[in-house]
Amino acid sequence: MAIQLIRGFKDVLPPEAAVWQRIESTARRLFENFGFAEIRIPVMERTELFARSIGEATDIVEKEMYTFADRKGGRLTLRPEATASVVRAYIQHRLYATEPVRKFYTIGPMFRRERPQKGRYRQFYQINVEVFGIASALIDAQLILLLVTLLERLSVKDVHAHVNTLGCPACRPQFRKALAGYLSPRTAGLCSDCRRRSVKNPLRVLDCKVPACREAMTGAPALLDYLCADCRQHFEVFKSALAELGISYRIDPRLVRGLDYYTRTTFEIQTGALGAQSAVAGGGRYDGLVEALGGPAVPATGFAIGLDRLAELAAGVQGDIGAGPDVFIAVLGAEHRQLAFEWVCALGLAGVRAEMEYGTRSLKSQMKRADRLGAANVLMVGENELQKGAAVLRNMQTREQTEIPISELVARVKTCIGGNADRP
Ligand code: AMP
């Protein structure tokens, strides 16, 4: 049997790949307008980097990482997320030395050995945005503005911002204690994951989706009641900045996210259009991580957008990208193929999407093929045309035919195809 791809992995084929390109170029333009620069980081790191940043007691580190022994005995992991690597690069290259405020974005594949289902893959793609050196909650609000704007520019509807705060090392321990106290008489009713979490990482029980766990958590203490004055103030600034930007949001006290490094602001962008996997993007502040990984005490905040899910949402609004050629050159007689080939190349170099017949099909089957490709025009090249010194350009929609002098073919075709002619 022919070799198949690995379970949970997928190919992105055209025309879907064109949707991905459009998302990526829209995101790049938006982020660069806001002062973000691209950073490219490797897909593999030392396992320790993820264990220390994401947290030993998280689902990702406990059971989802693709980890293997290197030949010399070191342990390597295919990255399950990008933030840890960006932080490593920020520290390793002393990017804080000249200017501690740095804004990066990066796009690429992540790997998690989750149970595959629609919207959940083992290799998936993220667009990540990370800001270093800004403690103010204003930048957290700006991140939400970027997310909401990107989705709007991609015409994605039914988008909701969910926000929360996780406090800081000064106030979270009291909450954790209160939560552990609440959980201890209730562990028997929790799912097996949450029974384990209730001891090791009780905050994670808050966002478990299992109905019995949700039920058990209805009367749980809320972190908002345990915030220290600084965290409370930070959350207030965040909320009023969102209001000023006209962004509506919902406070979701259960939004704790799956990674240990978050402090204060957390958020998720959800949509009703995706079914069970409703989160398109998530992020938050990770003020202690740079220091924890051996760098200076620099605050940081960021988000990750799930590109696979976003592509699914944006697929319906793809515009003319991936559409058929502007011109299909129908060759009437094999002896004219060389000339058609010269035209195809000259048109392509001039920014006109051109395709031709390389085989020996009849005119009828060439016209059928032009139709199937969605060609906007067909240019005929045969003995008659050459004798007259003019080729016929047929508009496939209006059926209108125009004679094009061969001596100025490229320029005249460009004029005839009108709106599309300014492509580089
Ligand atoms: P996380 O790093 O878990 O906060 O995820 C951020 C975003 O990445 C999510 O909102 C999803 O859109 C996307 N994502 C996370 N895990 C997967 C996965 N296994 N398959 C597809 N997309 C994912």
Side-chain angles (χ1 to χ4, degrees):
M1 200 175 83
I3 298 169
Q4 307 279 306
L5 49 63
I6 312 167
R7 188 167 124 85
F9 288 60
K10 69 171 190 185
D11 301 311
V12 181
L13 308 175
E16 195 199 343
V19 178
W20 287 56
Q21 285 180 356
R22 197 165 70 91
I23 294 173
E24 289 171 15
S25 59
T26 309
R28 283 175 194 279
R29 208 171 320 121
L30 175 66
F31 299 158
E32 283 169 13
N33 285 345
F34 276 78
F36 289 80
E38 182 173 15
I39 183 169
R40 297 193 185 202
I41 44 183
V43 294
M44 214 186 311
E45 298 273 2
R46 292 180 200 288
T47 304
E48 191 194 347
L49 175 68
F50 302 115
R52 272 174 57 189
S53 56
I54 299 170
E56 298 276 5
T58 55
D59 285 356
I60 293 178
V61 173
E62 273 186 345
K63 48 188 188 191
E64 293 171 1
M65 295 202 305
Y66 284 96
T67 296
F68 58 95
D70 194 13
R71 293 199 179 185
K72 289 196 175 150
R75 289 177 73 70
L76 303 178
T77 294
L78 285 176
R79 62 177 183 193
E81 59 110 48
T83 303
S85 303
V86 178
V87 173
R88 180 204 42 73
Y90 180 78
I91 298 169
Q92 179 172 346
H93 304 289
R94 298 173 53 81
L95 299 178
Y96 49 83
T98 44
E99 167 58 59
V101 176
R102 302 295 290 251
K103 302 180 188 177
F104 302 112
Y105 75 87
T106 190
I107 304 177
M110 309 295 152
F111 304 85
R112 293 183 197 169
R113 207 174 187 294
E114 295 189 84
R115 199 169 55 78
Q117 61 187 83
K118 188 169 156 44
R120 198 199 277 160
Y121 309 98
R122 290 180 167 177
Q123 175 177 330
F124 59 97
Y125 289 75
Q126 286 185 340
I127 307 178
N128 279 259
V129 160
E130 317 286 353
V131 182
F132 294 92
I134 304 179
S136 165
L138 293 177
I139 199 76
D140 299 347
Q142 193 185 72
L143 293 183
I144 312 262
L145 174 71
L146 291 181
L147 279 169
V148 171
T149 306
L150 177 63
L151 291 164
E152 204 177 278
R153 290 190 182 172
L154 294 168
S155 308
V156 175
K157 303 271 179 336
D158 195 11
V159 167
H160 310 277
H162 292 235
V163 306
N164 191 23
T165 173
L166 291 184
C168 69
C171 52
R172 203 182 325 163
Q174 279 91 299
F175 171 69
R176 215 181 128 111
K177 219 164 125 193
L179 192 61
Y182 175 85
L183 283 170
S184 77
R186 293 175 171 82
T187 43
L190 302 176
C191 73
S192 60
D193 277 339
C194 282
R195 259 177 265 150
R196 198 165 28 86
R197 288 175 187 141
S198 64
V199 183
K200 284 171 124 182
N201 196 356
L203 259 70
R204 284 309 311 280
V205 182
L206 281 169
D207 77 346
C208 182
K209 307 281 184 294
V210 174
C213 300
R214 295 199 79 102
E215 171 85 43
M217 297 308 282
T218 40
L223 214 157
L224 291 172
D225 298 328
Y226 287 79
L227 293 180
C228 62
D230 285 349
C231 285
R232 194 178 302 279
Q233 169 70 6
H234 199 270
F235 197 44
E236 288 308 318
V237 172
F238 176 54
K239 286 187 296 181
S240 52
L242 287 177
E244 228 157 83
L245 292 168
I247 298 172
S248 55
Y249 60 89
R250 191 177 306 161
I251 297 176
D252 179 355
R254 288 169 178 264
L255 188 67
V256 296
R257 318 262 309 125
L259 302 87
D260 276 1
Y261 53 61
Y262 285 110
T263 52
R264 296 190 170 164
T265 316
T266 56
F267 51 85
E268 230 170 59
I269 304 293
Q270 300 186 2
T271 160
L274 277 176
Q277 306 303 321
S278 59
V280 217
R285 188 161 272 285
Y286 47 97
D287 287 343
L289 187 58
V290 178
E291 196 175 13
L293 290 178
V298 171
T301 183
F303 64 71
I305 306 170
L307 199 40
D308 309 70
R309 293 184 194 169
L310 189 49
E312 203 184 305
L313 290 169
V317 280
Q318 90 172 245
D320 77 336
I321 296 172
D326 300 313
V327 181
F328 181 90
I329 304 181
V331 183
L332 316 176
E335 65 276 24
H336 303 306
R337 194 177 307 133
Q338 180 65 29
L339 183 59
F341 180 66
E342 280 167 29
W343 290 354
V344 155
C345 295
L347 287 165
L349 291 172
V352 177
R353 264 191 297 213
E355 189 47 79
M356 66 175 272
E357 173 57 41
Y358 289 90
T360 49
R361 296 181 209 219
S362 67
L363 177 61
K364 195 169 155 204
S365 89
Q366 291 187 54
M367 294 306 278
K368 271 196 189 153
R369 180 158 174 248
D371 234 8
R372 207 169 50 239
L373 292 174
N377 300 277
V378 171
L379 186 73
M380 320 243 194
V381 48
E383 201 48 48
N384 287 349
E385 286 75 13
L386 292 184
Q387 270 180 10
K388 276 202 280 180
V392 173
L393 186 74
R394 179 185 170 93
N395 183 313
M396 295 295 273
Q397 219 169 15
T398 60
R399 309 268 162 208
E400 198 183 316
Q401 309 217 129
T402 317
E403 281 207 344
I404 306 260
I406 287 168
S407 54
E408 32 187 291
L409 188 107
V410 171
R412 288 289 302 276
V413 168
K414 273 186 98 161
T415 321
C416 286
I417 66 171
N420 286 336
D422 57 356
R423 249 192 322 258

